[in-house]
Amino acid sequence: MECRPRCAACCIAPSISSPIPGMPNGKPAGVPCIQLDEDLRCRIFGQPERPAVCGGLQPNEDMCGDSREQAMRWLGYMEDLTRPD
């Protein structure tokens, strides 16, 4: 499955605990990654400094749904399920 243009749900909804260039402490859930450009594409895609967790998250029908809104809801739900106490 290909990423939906101008979606970036996977770069906004989940928290990322790994350092990201420009975000040395990672990013909280719901905060856009600083590496998103104006077209909501990753500036460091394919680069070694991109966190491994980002490269491991691959688009699929369950996660992406039929719209950006569905993807944001699903990823937010998964964030809530996996949040440490």
Side-chain angles (χ1 to χ4, degrees):
M1 179 173 182
E2 295 291 320
C3 287
R4 183 178 292 110
R6 299 193 53 79
C7 177
C10 60
C11 302
I12 299 169
S15 61
I16 298 176
S17 57
S18 305
I20 301 165
M23 299 180 105
N25 298 316
K27 68 166 227 58
V31 173
C33 178
I34 198 167
Q35 293 300 328
L36 285 173
D37 68 14
E38 56 279 348
D39 291 323
L40 299 178
R41 298 186 56 90
C42 179
R43 290 183 180 99
I44 57 173
F45 186 86
Q47 302 299 313
E49 59 271 22
R50 184 176 180 223
V53 67
C54 298
L57 188 59
Q58 298 296 310
N60 66 63
E61 289 183 26
D62 289 337
M63 179 176 75
C64 300
D66 294 326
S67 67
R68 179 178 194 259
E69 292 74 24
Q70 283 183 345
M72 291 289 286
R73 278 194 304 273
W74 190 90
L75 286 162
Y77 172 73
M78 294 307 291
E79 179 71 26
D80 289 343
L81 282 180
T82 59
R83 181 176 296 132
D85 290 332

